[in-house]
Amino acid sequence: MDITPTTSASPPPPPAATKGKSTRAGDRIFLGLTRGSGILLLVIMGAIAVFLTYRATLAISKDEANFLTAFEWNPAGSPPEFGIAILAYGTVVSSVIAMLIAVPIAVGIALFVSHYAPRRLAAPLAYVIDLLAAVPSIIYGLWGALVLVPYLGGLNSWLNEYLGWTYLFDKEGTGPARSLFTVGILLAVMILPIITNVTREVFLQVPKMHEEAALALGATRWEVIRMSVLPFGRSGIISASMLGLGRALGETMAVATVLSPSFLFSAHLLDPGGGTFAQNIAAKFNEANDYGRDALIASGLVLFVITLLVNGTARLIIARRKEYSGANA
């Protein structure tokens, strides 16, 4: 009796057409929609860049002043002279002040809500923060003009008396506190809910095993946060901060309501005056002629480039941190 060994038949290899791809119609449709959405977004961004560049070129070609360094804004003059030096300075300074105030407070609130507060308090507090993020800009602007500006007079006097030697807080002008420092505080209040919400959600995603392992080793609550929560959420904190910075850079109505526009350069943060790109566009767009609107669009192009650079830098930082974390894992 001849007995030949039998081998179990191996499953056939998957068809080449199905490797890495789904044959389901729904998956193909979803893939096409997502891919088309990404391409459409790039097309829209490119169209905006082309439009801004074209209109900015028309304005800058007739500008008799240096567009990047001039301190005046008079596109209706003869000859037209305008520049963005004051606007760039005011936009960057007010945004930096807002970030210095908002980011530490937002991280602290997010840690409190996610790891310290009891549930009965954490849920209502998170709900209130979500509501603050939905308040319109004009409401913040009215609050800043009617409440924040009058009450900051005492703080400005204190800063001038005790920190005036730093030159930044040396107040030379008089009048209400309609300054870049006030705008920075107002922007900090506006971006605080955004940074807090995103950071809180990131902290809630920390693997519980990491925290439990640290507690098992005898770590205190703060040591758990320092060793497990903050390292895990660092990329999320950066992303949330850049999201808040994007709003601070482009905020219009609140800044226009509070700030006293002036094209006189002053490094004293407490002196009234200054300007930002968005505030200048909102204040001068209706009264500008065609050439003046091209000049405003040129300033908008600079803000567009600054925003892209900020977001691109944030993406590079996050990518490097992920690579570093993966190398150390």
Side-chain angles (χ1 to χ4, degrees), residues 58 60-61 111 158 176:
L58 297 178
I60 296 175
S61 62
L111 286 174
W158 185 88

Side-chain angles (χ1 to χ4, degrees), residues 228-249:
S228 300
V229 178
L230 291 179
F232 179 87
R234 190 169 288 123
S235 297
I237 295 174
I238 296 174
S239 300
S241 301
M242 292 304 104
L243 186 63
L245 178 59
R247 179 170 186 182
L249 289 172

Side-chain angles (χ1 to χ4, degrees), residues 106-116 196 198-215 219-238 321 325:
V107 173
I109 296 175
L111 286 174
F112 175 76
V113 173
S114 61
H115 287 80
Y116 283 95
T196 302
V198 178
T199 306
R200 183 193 71 227
E201 294 301 324
V202 172
F203 288 161
L204 290 175
Q205 301 302 318
V206 177
K208 294 301 180 182
M209 290 189 299
H210 292 187
E211 300 182 27
E212 294 172 356
L215 290 172
T220 62
R221 180 70 65 88
W222 165 243
E223 289 173 337
V224 171
I225 291 174
R226 182 171 57 86
M227 294 187 300
S228 300
V229 178
L230 291 179
F232 179 87
R234 190 169 288 123
S235 297
I237 295 174
I238 296 174
R321 294 213 63 86
S325 300

Side-chain angles (χ1 to χ4, degrees), residues 251-262:
E251 181 53 45
T252 304
M253 295 309 300
V255 178
T257 306
V258 171
L259 188 64
S260 297
S262 173

Side-chain angles (χ1 to χ4, degrees), residues 87-253:
L87 303 178
Y89 173 78
T91 301
V92 173
V93 168
S94 60
S95 299
V96 169
I97 294 173
M99 295 295 290
L100 291 176
I101 297 174
V103 172
I105 298 176
V107 173
I109 296 175
L111 286 174
F112 175 76
V113 173
S114 61
H115 287 80
Y116 283 95
R119 282 186 182 177
R120 293 182 179 179
L121 178 61
L125 185 58
Y127 181 72
V128 171
I129 296 173
D130 292 338
L131 287 180
L132 289 176
V135 175
S137 300
I138 188 62
I139 302 301
Y140 280 111
L142 292 174
W143 172 80
L146 300 177
V147 178
L148 188 62
V149 170
Y151 281 94
L152 278 182
L155 177 61
N156 288 356
S157 300
W158 185 88
L159 291 173
N160 182 38
E161 181 178 356
Y162 293 100
L163 296 178
W165 55 271
T166 62
Y167 188 78
L168 291 177
F169 297 104
D170 182 18
K171 185 177 180 179
E172 294 183 348
T174 58
R178 295 182 176 273
S179 60
L180 292 177
F181 182 69
T182 304
V183 170
I185 295 177
L186 178 63
L187 292 176
V189 175
M190 296 181 66
I191 67 177
L192 183 64
I194 299 174
I195 302 176
T196 302
N197 289 338
V198 178
T199 306
R200 183 193 71 227
E201 294 301 324
V202 172
F203 288 161
L204 290 175
Q205 301 302 318
V206 177
K208 294 301 180 182
M209 290 189 299
H210 292 187
E211 300 182 27
E212 294 172 356
L215 290 172
L217 293 174
T220 62
R221 180 70 65 88
W222 165 243
E223 289 173 337
V224 171
I225 291 174
R226 182 171 57 86
M227 294 187 300
S228 300
V229 178
L230 291 179
F232 179 87
R234 190 169 288 123
S235 297
I237 295 174
I238 296 174
S239 300
S241 301
M242 292 304 104
L243 186 63
L245 178 59
R247 179 170 186 182
L249 289 172
E251 181 53 45
T252 304
M253 295 309 300

